[in-house]
Amino acid sequence: QVQLVQSGAEVKKPGASVKVSCKASGYTFTSYGIHWVRQAPGQGLEWMGWISPYSGNTNYAQNFQGRVTMTTDTSTSTAYMDLRSLRSDDAAVYYCARDLGLLPGYWGQGTLVTVSS
Amino acid sequence: QSALTQPPSASGSPGQSVTISCTGTSNDVGGYTYVSWYQQHPGKAPKVVIYEVTNRPSGVPDRFFGSKSGNTAFLTVSGLQAEDEADYYCSSNAGINTFVFGTGTKVTVL
């Protein structure tokens, strides 16, 4: 079955970077895109961007352009999301999700990122 | 791109139906057949209950029904059960490899 397992919780200082990983299994990794979505405490879902593991093509939401980089390692079926220049309002649970009908379908368990000085 | 508009809350008694709307524009909901709906229980990851406007993934009960009219998509949950109490979000294609979520609706089973 499709499974996405994310890396553990992170605590970062303002201005630092965080890199979250997402290891996929149960399907052919290069056949489906990976979305990254975040959810601040008590808030809704926010789409951050998408990457094609097949081509490496990416598309980032305007709010994150210049601050986020999404990559994949096809040898380990792992996707990565790197967010730089962290601010307090970047504190959130970050999710990866595999395409289902283009949109996020199968979700990882989430990674809590805390930003605190 | 702006978030899709959903009502903040909806409710129904067990056995009744509830319908949630998701309003966008011709640049997202109205322009594509890629609309999904997600159920999220507190502290859990979202789970897709409808994709491509009307399709149910395997394992999702047929009590969940998706539809679309113009720039608005709808999720109807019939035969409400206690476990349906959750937050629900819609999402739509909003351009080439660009996507947007709705504001979310809290469904309460009375």
Side-chain angles (χ1 to χ4, degrees), chain A residues 33-110:
Chain A
I34 294 284
H35 300 263
W36 288 90
V37 178
R38 77 177 185 181
Q39 187 171 36
Q43 302 301 307
L45 300 173
E46 181 178 21
W47 182 77
M48 298 179 67
W50 171 92
I51 182 166
S52 164
Y54 175 77
S55 63
N57 287 346
T58 55
N59 199 46
Y60 303 137
Q62 281 185 334
N63 286 350
F64 298 98
Q65 284 185 5
R67 216 160 57 94
V68 71
T69 302
M70 295 175 188
T71 57
T72 60
D73 181 346
T74 56
S75 68
T76 60
S77 299
T78 302
Y80 299 92
M81 188 283 298
D82 190 350
L83 187 62
R84 301 176 292 279
S85 303
L86 289 169
R87 309 183 290 252
S88 57
D89 61 358
D90 289 318
V93 176
Y94 289 77
Y95 294 101
C96 62
R98 198 209 84 174
D99 273 352
L100 177 64
L102 286 192
L103 287 155
Y106 300 94
W107 295 66
Q109 84 276 19

Side-chain angles (χ1 to χ4, degrees), chain B residues 17 28 33 40 46 66 73-74 77 79 82 84 89 98 100-101 106 108-109:
Chain B
S17 295
D28 39 61
T33 56
Q40 187 180 34
F74 300 92
V77 185
D84 299 331
Y89 295 90
T98 301
V100 62
F101 281 98
K106 181 176 181 59
T108 301
V109 180

